[in-house]
Amino acid sequence: EKARIGVTGLAVMGRNLARNLARHGHPVAVHNRTSARTKALVEQFGDEGTFLPADTPEEFVASLERPRRLVVMVKAGAPTDAVIEEFAPLLEPGDMIVDGGNAHFADTRRREAALRERGLHFVGAGISGGEEGALHGPSIMPGGSAESYEALGPLLEDISAKVDGDPCCAHVGPDGAGHFVKMVHNGIEYSDMQLIAESYDLLRHAAGLAPAEIAEVFRTWNTGRLESYLIEITAEVLAHTDAATGKPFVDVVLDQAEQKGTGRWTVQTALDLGVPVGGIAEAVFARSVSGHAVLREASRHLPGPTRAKVAGSSFADAVEKALYASKIVAYAQGFHEIQAGSAEYGWNIDAGSMAAIWRGGCIIRAGFLDRIRAAYAADPHTPTLLTDAHFAEAVGDAQDAWREVVATAARIGVPAPGLSTALAYYDSLRADRLPAALTQGQRDYFGAHTYRRTDREGTFHTLWGGDRTEVDA
Ligand code: NBP
């Protein structure tokens, strides 16, 4: 018997993905550089399905039916290149290598082009949902050729999460499209987490609620329009008490957030594409600020506001509105980046289908994503989700409360970079005139960078150092 698919790299993610495949009745070849992991997998979970363990790459490749589907689940970066170099010479035209790791989409584009020249398909597949998702059904974002998706898609759809019977897996687009979308997914995740953290901070310091009380607030929110995995786990974390000290768990954890890099990539890429993703950037920077222990220690004595806390009983409702409106902005910015990437690289990504496959399996799964899917169904080319009828109405209803929450944060000196930047973005888009006109004037003054006019075509320059007449540039 041959295996329908193979997984090499059997750390947490690869092991669970292989088990998921086996549990769905797909005979799966398994291989790991260090064969002890392969043995352990078969010993512990061999009864879950058909595993074909292989000690060597040659054995592994020989055990796969054709076209060969070879999933690589190793550490992103150099290890992925090493594994590709090891296996590619053993494969035949039409076979495919699937990289399920968190690769940078530019690496995926490079690898896809190189393997295409050798007649092989390379599928960069974003996989979200962590260890549990890999086992019970992740959200899968495969890129690569349409032909490779024909051979691979049904298998991936089979093991993905399901929402209303629909698989949380769809072909994203050519070469790096899958990893690009996974990257932006993670950026949105950063933003969503930061907004939730700021909401907690404000409930705590402006409304004076204790962590356990805030957990209850989040539990209530989780029954409404904010219903999501992240809100659900936030309530769990806030309700948790540290066994050693009896204090709220959140009070004994060092307040320095770490990051692995996908949020940073999302922002770096957005800068290259010229897409404003302030919500994601502030989320990345907020983690960065938190980690600067020396800087924070040196700044602790700086003066804060003299006014004490002010929030009344309706404050939690206001925060709910601010959070919802800011969340809409976060997703609007992320989807803008997806649309821009798609245009830049010719991927033709169906944004609505990305929202659909994020509804289950992944970290940002939420009922909310159905709204985004519907928004793109109504207008696939909408320049921003904010103008969709549902979202525009929601933000319109929320905006007074949103402003109040941001103002309260500023007044009492609690940092709310995510909520604030989201509001600034909203007001920037809404503005009839932006001070960018003045910026253009300054640029023309000091650098003769020229400007355009509102009232006629052309490019102009004012002779600032002379008689200030305007000339055609
Ligand atoms: P790790 O990222 O910790 O990688 C460990 C695996 O890489 C082991 O199988 C190891 O083999 C193998 N490996 C390394 Br390291 N260097 C190698 C080389 N030169 N040649 C061959 N194999 C090599 O595993 P993971 O946490 O399961 O994650 C796998 C991928 O999935 C990563 O890209 C990760 O970013 C991504 N991802 C992880 C999560 C998560 O929640 N952990 C979620 C989503 C995506 P060995 O056993 O011989 O050392």
Side-chain angles (χ1 to χ4, degrees):
E1 186 184 21
K2 296 243 176 192
R4 198 162 293 154
I5 190 165
V7 179
T8 182
L10 301 174
V12 280
M13 289 294 289
R15 185 186 60 201
N16 281 356
L17 211 60
R19 289 174 62 198
N20 189 350
L21 284 159
R23 286 173 170 197
H24 278 84
H26 306 295
V28 55
V30 285
H31 170 267
N32 192 68
R33 177 180 60 179
T34 316
S35 51
R37 278 197 208 269
T38 317
K39 274 200 201 71
L41 166 59
V42 178
E43 266 165 31
Q44 279 180 272
F45 306 108
D47 58 352
E48 292 183 354
T50 306
F51 294 97
L52 285 76
D55 278 336
T56 66
E58 289 76 10
E59 227 182 290
F60 179 62
V61 166
S63 69
L64 293 168
E65 69 177 38
R66 297 215 55 209
R68 298 186 182 89
R69 307 172 184 95
L70 192 162
V71 179
V72 179
M73 284 305 286
V74 302
K75 202 181 255 322
T80 303
D81 282 314
V83 171
I84 290 170
E85 269 324 300
E86 195 172 9
F87 284 95
L90 306 175
L91 299 176
E92 294 169 87
D95 289 350
M96 63 202 71
I97 296 181
V98 183
D99 176 14
N102 264 337
H104 192 289
F105 75 94
D107 285 336
T108 302
R109 284 169 56 77
R110 167 178 61 77
R111 290 166 182 150
E112 195 274 340
L115 289 178
R116 185 157 20 98
E117 290 217 333
R118 294 157 81 167
L120 302 175
H121 295 287
F122 183 71
V123 174
I127 300 183
S128 177
E131 188 176 339
E132 283 299 297
L135 184 59
H136 299 293
S139 173
I140 311 180
M141 295 148 253
S145 65
E147 196 188 334
S148 65
Y149 194 79
E150 260 176 50
L152 185 70
L155 273 172
L156 297 183
E157 290 179 14
D158 196 29
I159 63 160
S160 74
K162 308 285 182 303
V163 174
D164 304 334
D166 296 331
C168 292
C169 172
H171 184 223
V172 179
D175 59 81
H179 276 138
F180 184 94
V181 165
K182 171 60 168 40
M183 172 188 78
V184 176
H185 162 285
N186 285 28
I188 292 174
E189 175 186 313
Y190 271 59
S191 190
D192 212 338
M193 289 170 69
Q194 175 65 21
L195 293 168
I196 292 171
E198 290 175 17
S199 299
Y200 147 76
D201 212 23
L202 284 166
L203 290 173
R204 188 133 192 213
H205 296 110
L209 300 182
E213 294 172 310
I214 302 172
E216 283 311 312
V217 172
F218 277 95
R219 281 196 182 120
T220 309
W221 289 355
N222 201 38
T223 63
R225 59 188 179 171
L226 281 168
E227 176 272 314
S228 62
Y229 174 70
L230 281 172
I231 293 283
E232 178 192 329
I233 65 165
T234 300
E236 293 297 314
V237 173
L238 287 173
H240 184 55
T241 303
D242 176 51
T245 59
K247 289 182 183 168
F249 169 78
V250 74
D251 286 348
V252 298
V253 176
L254 187 70
D255 60 344
Q256 297 182 14
E258 297 183 10
Q259 46 187 317
K260 284 196 180 162
T262 41
R264 182 167 58 233
W265 290 349
T266 310
V267 178
Q268 285 169 335
T269 304
L271 291 172
D272 291 339
L273 291 169
V275 180
V277 293
I280 301 171
E282 287 296 352
V284 172
F285 286 139
R287 291 195 192 188
S288 168
V289 167
S290 79
H292 277 282
V294 174
L295 181 61
R296 288 176 61 193
E297 192 50 43
S299 313
R300 253 179 234 284
H301 67 281
L302 294 174
T306 45
R307 286 216 243 163
K309 61 179 172 237
V310 288
S313 57
S314 63
F315 191 65
D317 290 339
V319 174
E320 191 271 346
K321 289 183 171 145
L323 177 54
Y324 191 65
S326 300
K327 183 179 165 111
I328 294 170
V329 167
Y331 283 72
Q333 292 181 344
F335 275 89
H336 184 191
E337 181 162 352
I338 288 175
Q339 304 274 50
S342 179
E344 172 73 16
Y345 297 105
W347 287 327
N348 207 13
I349 295 174
D350 176 347
S353 132
M354 297 304 102
I357 65 173
W358 290 348
R359 288 179 304 163
C362 64
I363 306 299
I364 63 172
R365 60 183 181 262
F368 177 77
L369 285 155
D370 236 353
R371 291 283 182 194
I372 297 183
R373 190 180 54 90
Y376 281 114
D379 179 4
H381 302 293
T382 182
T384 173
L385 286 171
L386 278 164
T387 54
D388 166 75
H390 170 79
F391 291 130
E393 192 189 330
V395 174
D397 286 347
Q399 58 139 352
D400 283 336
W402 192 10
R403 295 179 195 289
E404 195 46 45
V405 168
V406 169
T408 300
R411 221 181 290 124
I412 67 170
V414 169
L419 295 167
S420 312
T421 194
L423 180 57
Y425 177 81
Y426 174 70
D427 282 334
S428 296
L429 292 190
R430 257 185 358 92
D432 182 32
R433 293 273 298 158
L434 287 170
L438 178 58
T439 308
Q440 284 296 80
Q442 293 165 326
R443 295 178 69 248
D444 190 58
Y445 190 106
F446 66 67
H449 291 306
T450 76
Y451 52 89
R452 287 177 297 151
R453 296 182 57 100
T454 56
D455 53 0
R456 53 182 209 276
E457 290 294 309
T459 310
F460 306 95
H461 169 55
T462 289
L463 301 171
W464 296 102
D467 63 358
R468 305 202 167 180
T469 54
E470 182 173 81
V471 296
D472 287 323

PDB file of all heavy atoms in Angstrom, residues 92-103:
ATOM      1  N   GLU A  92       9.615  13.511  -9.071  1.00  0.00           N
ATOM      2  CA  GLU A  92       9.454  13.502 -10.526  1.00  0.00           C
ATOM      3  C   GLU A  92       8.466  14.575 -10.943  1.00  0.00           C
ATOM      4  O   GLU A  92       7.630  14.996 -10.139  1.00  0.00           O
ATOM      5  CB  GLU A  92       8.949  12.131 -10.971  1.00  0.00           C
ATOM      6  CG  GLU A  92       9.954  11.013 -10.739  1.00  0.00           C
ATOM      7  CD  GLU A  92       9.328   9.641 -10.937  1.00  0.00           C
ATOM      8  OE1 GLU A  92       9.323   9.170 -12.076  1.00  0.00           O
ATOM      9  OE2 GLU A  92       8.837   9.058  -9.952  1.00  0.00           O
ATOM     10  N   PRO A  93       8.539  15.015 -12.213  1.00  0.00           N
ATOM     11  CA  PRO A  93       7.637  16.076 -12.671  1.00  0.00           C
ATOM     12  C   PRO A  93       6.185  15.782 -12.311  1.00  0.00           C
ATOM     13  O   PRO A  93       5.723  14.651 -12.431  1.00  0.00           O
ATOM     14  CB  PRO A  93       7.847  16.081 -14.189  1.00  0.00           C
ATOM     15  CG  PRO A  93       9.262  15.626 -14.356  1.00  0.00           C
ATOM     16  CD  PRO A  93       9.488  14.613 -13.267  1.00  0.00           C
ATOM     17  N   GLY A  94       5.505  16.834 -11.833  1.00  0.00           N
ATOM     18  CA  GLY A  94       4.104  16.684 -11.438  1.00  0.00           C
ATOM     19  C   GLY A  94       3.943  16.470  -9.945  1.00  0.00           C
ATOM     20  O   GLY A  94       2.862  16.665  -9.389  1.00  0.00           O
ATOM     21  N   ASP A  95       5.020  16.052  -9.257  1.00  0.00           N
ATOM     22  CA  ASP A  95       4.962  15.884  -7.806  1.00  0.00           C
ATOM     23  C   ASP A  95       4.900  17.256  -7.137  1.00  0.00           C
ATOM     24  O   ASP A  95       5.250  18.273  -7.747  1.00  0.00           O
ATOM     25  CB  ASP A  95       6.203  15.138  -7.296  1.00  0.00           C
ATOM     26  CG  ASP A  95       6.188  13.658  -7.697  1.00  0.00           C
ATOM     27  OD1 ASP A  95       5.140  13.194  -8.199  1.00  0.00           O
ATOM     28  OD2 ASP A  95       7.226  12.994  -7.515  1.00  0.00           O
ATOM     29  N   MET A  96       4.479  17.280  -5.875  1.00  0.00           N
ATOM     30  CA  MET A  96       4.394  18.584  -5.209  1.00  0.00           C
ATOM     31  C   MET A  96       4.952  18.576  -3.802  1.00  0.00           C
ATOM     32  O   MET A  96       4.792  17.605  -3.056  1.00  0.00           O
ATOM     33  CB  MET A  96       2.958  19.092  -5.204  1.00  0.00           C
ATOM     34  CG  MET A  96       1.973  18.254  -4.454  1.00  0.00           C
ATOM     35  SD  MET A  96       0.280  18.572  -5.017  1.00  0.00           S
ATOM     36  CE  MET A  96       0.304  17.812  -6.632  1.00  0.00           C
ATOM     37  N   ILE A  97       5.626  19.683  -3.494  1.00  0.00           N
ATOM     38  CA  ILE A  97       6.106  19.904  -2.135  1.00  0.00           C
ATOM     39  C   ILE A  97       5.217  20.978  -1.533  1.00  0.00           C
ATOM     40  O   ILE A  97       5.001  22.040  -2.126  1.00  0.00           O
ATOM     41  CB  ILE A  97       7.582  20.358  -2.132  1.00  0.00           C
ATOM     42  CG1 ILE A  97       8.485  19.253  -2.698  1.00  0.00           C
ATOM     43  CG2 ILE A  97       8.013  20.746  -0.715  1.00  0.00           C
ATOM     44  CD1 ILE A  97       9.965  19.606  -2.711  1.00  0.00           C
ATOM     45  N   VAL A  98       4.674  20.675  -0.356  1.00  0.00           N
ATOM     46  CA  VAL A  98       3.785  21.611   0.327  1.00  0.00           C
ATOM     47  C   VAL A  98       4.501  22.125   1.572  1.00  0.00           C
ATOM     48  O   VAL A  98       4.890  21.336   2.425  1.00  0.00           O
ATOM     49  CB  VAL A  98       2.481  20.889   0.766  1.00  0.00           C
ATOM     50  CG1 VAL A  98       1.515  21.870   1.404  1.00  0.00           C
ATOM     51  CG2 VAL A  98       1.845  20.158  -0.400  1.00  0.00           C
ATOM     52  N   ASP A  99       4.715  23.415   1.640  1.00  0.00           N
ATOM     53  CA  ASP A  99       5.335  23.978   2.846  1.00  0.00           C
ATOM     54  C   ASP A  99       4.238  24.510   3.757  1.00  0.00           C
ATOM     55  O   ASP A  99       3.626  25.539   3.483  1.00  0.00           O
ATOM     56  CB  ASP A  99       6.319  25.088   2.461  1.00  0.00           C
ATOM     57  CG  ASP A  99       6.919  25.773   3.691  1.00  0.00           C
ATOM     58  OD1 ASP A  99       6.790  25.213   4.815  1.00  0.00           O
ATOM     59  OD2 ASP A  99       7.515  26.856   3.542  1.00  0.00           O
ATOM     60  N   GLY A 100       4.006  23.798   4.856  1.00  0.00           N
ATOM     61  CA  GLY A 100       2.955  24.201   5.800  1.00  0.00           C
ATOM     62  C   GLY A 100       3.479  25.069   6.926  1.00  0.00           C
ATOM     63  O   GLY A 100       2.734  25.413   7.843  1.00  0.00           O
ATOM     64  N   GLY A 101       4.756  25.452   6.866  1.00  0.00           N
ATOM     65  CA  GLY A 101       5.333  26.286   7.920  1.00  0.00           C
ATOM     66  C   GLY A 101       4.981  27.748   7.723  1.00  0.00           C
ATOM     67  O   GLY A 101       4.296  28.120   6.769  1.00  0.00           O
ATOM     68  N   ASN A 102       5.458  28.563   8.653  1.00  0.00           N
ATOM     69  CA  ASN A 102       5.184  29.993   8.570  1.00  0.00           C
ATOM     70  C   ASN A 102       6.264  30.689   7.747  1.00  0.00           C
ATOM     71  O   ASN A 102       7.050  31.463   8.272  1.00  0.00           O
ATOM     72  CB  ASN A 102       5.156  30.601   9.970  1.00  0.00           C
ATOM     73  CG  ASN A 102       3.737  30.695  10.489  1.00  0.00           C
ATOM     74  OD1 ASN A 102       2.772  30.727   9.718  1.00  0.00           O
ATOM     75  ND2 ASN A 102       3.607  30.745  11.802  1.00  0.00           N
ATOM     76  N   ALA A 103       6.286  30.435   6.448  1.00  0.00           N
ATOM     77  CA  ALA A 103       7.309  31.033   5.596  1.00  0.00           C
ATOM     78  C   ALA A 103       6.930  32.462   5.228  1.00  0.00           C
ATOM     79  O   ALA A 103       5.754  32.810   5.179  1.00  0.00           O
ATOM     80  CB  ALA A 103       7.467  30.202   4.328  1.00  0.00           C
TER      81      ALA A 103
END
